[in-house]
Amino acid sequence: MNILAECKGAKRIGISGHVRPDGDCVGSCLALYLYLTKSLPDADIKVFLEKPADIFSEIAGFDRINSTFGEQETFDVFFALDCSGDRLGEAEAYFLAATKKINIDHHISNSGCGDLNVVRPDLGAACEVLYDLMDKEILDKDIAMALYIGMIHDTGVFQYSNTTPDTLKRAAHLISFGFDFPRLIEETFYQKTYLQTQIMGRALMESIRFLNGRCIVSVIDRKTMDFYNVTPKDLDGIVNQLRNIKGVNCAIFMYETGVLEYKVSMRSDSCVDVAQVAAYFGGGGHMRAAGCTMKGTFHDCVNNLSLHIEKQLLENALR
Ligand code: 5GP
Ligand code: MN
């Protein structure tokens, strides 16, 4: 697919990504926004996202993100990035009403929801999919930085097993544009505020191991989030920290989103395919990082997840 050829003649172009946008989502949406704005100066181009974390405010175009959505608008071309249409949240209406729908993603759980689909589960980040689709002559420092941020977030700074030699070749080209990548990694990936660190400490301290220590779970309820005055964005990274624990094959982190409702994040190693577990409960993601929303008490949720995880641990042990 040639992005610019597909947008030829389009007067109104929209871009959006998934709810609770992460680094890859913000990076890919802004990289495409910058790329299209630069290449198609006469088109009216809009980018819609739920308000992203402030750490991403250095990415060019951040202040152009539309988080209020507003009334129904019709676009000639609408891009859904880093997700399928049903995870666009309020932007889904724009996507469904668009004349041409384009879906660019890397989630194994996405079977493609557009008129045109480029879904590459073999790539670590949606930003890598976009990089491959972009004309390299048009890339500049701002676009390169946006793509790079998406890549570091979804590959855990090139540590996770979704990192390939081609990931590093793409990143090598991107850093040649000369942005301050050590500072970006530090400030967008590793650095936490004091309150974020405190609530992480609490989640770690109150975590519970089960299935002989191969699984670990922790939960933060609404009351605790209010006490520390944090929002869900401040809980990023807790599940990764749980997964770092020696002997743990599968880590689960949950936070309360409503009455008897939890947002669930899972991380695993090669023993458990958490995308499968999440998909069973209506969510999705990648083999080693996935999520879903579940109803019930905390214990109901853990019991239900545990059945699926245990089954996989047993099956994989037999292989
Ligand atoms: P996280 O745990 O960091 O929120 O998400 C891990 C991965 O799973 C990400 O790729 C994210 O897009 C995906 N994911 C998380 N929650 C959901 C969900 O409710 N539905 C789907 N389809 N994917 C999810
Ligand atoms: Mn992604």
Side-chain angles (χ1 to χ4, degrees), residues 32 77 96 100 153 171 198 279 295 310:
L32 182 61
V77 181
L96 293 176
K100 188 191 281 182
H153 277 258
Q198 276 203 314
K295 300 254 187 206
E310 186 175 24

Side-chain angles (χ1 to χ4, degrees), residues 139-313:
L139 287 190
D140 57 27
K141 191 170 166 179
D142 286 345
I143 300 171
M145 185 175 125
L147 291 172
Y148 182 82
I149 288 185
M151 288 173 59
I152 59 170
H153 277 258
D154 264 27
T155 62
V157 195
F158 311 116
Q159 184 210 339
Y160 305 153
S161 57
N162 58 6
T163 305
T164 65
D166 283 332
T167 306
L168 297 179
K169 283 179 199 153
R170 294 180 186 103
H173 180 215
L174 294 176
I175 63 170
S176 74
F177 285 91
F179 49 85
D180 188 355
F181 71 86
R183 191 178 54 77
L184 280 178
I185 293 173
E186 177 57 29
E187 290 179 2
T188 75
F189 194 80
Y190 291 111
Q191 201 172 70
K192 300 271 171 226
T193 64
Y194 183 61
L195 286 178
Q196 287 165 348
T197 311
Q198 276 203 314
I199 199 161
M200 179 186 288
R202 177 131 177 196
L204 299 179
M205 198 134 90
E206 292 175 357
S207 61
I208 303 162
R209 287 188 295 174
F210 58 106
L211 298 177
N212 288 326
R214 299 180 71 180
C215 224
I216 192 162
V217 65
S218 191
V219 63
I220 294 284
D221 60 17
R222 196 72 251 168
K223 223 169 59 220
T224 311
M225 287 173 68
D226 291 345
F227 176 79
Y228 289 97
N229 191 23
V230 297
T231 66
K233 288 185 198 103
D234 295 307
L235 306 174
D236 274 0
I238 294 179
V239 70
N240 289 318
Q241 204 60 44
L242 290 167
R243 191 204 53 114
N244 278 341
I245 296 166
K246 193 167 173 164
V248 166
N249 299 127
C250 182
I252 306 169
F253 174 69
M254 308 175 25
Y255 65 85
E256 198 180 356
T257 46
V259 180
L260 294 180
E261 189 187 86
Y262 293 91
K263 178 78 187 105
V264 177
S265 277
M266 291 180 281
R267 298 291 184 272
S268 64
D269 60 13
S270 56
C271 300
V272 183
D273 176 352
V274 284
Q276 235 183 59
V277 180
Y280 185 85
F281 295 103
H286 310 287
M287 223 156 88
R288 294 180 185 184
C292 56
T293 297
M294 291 178 81
K295 300 254 187 206
T297 65
F298 165 66
H299 286 100
D300 289 339
C301 297
V302 177
N303 283 337
N304 286 329
L305 291 167
S306 168
L307 287 175
H308 290 263
I309 295 164
E310 186 175 24
K311 189 160 162 270
Q312 283 199 33
L313 286 174

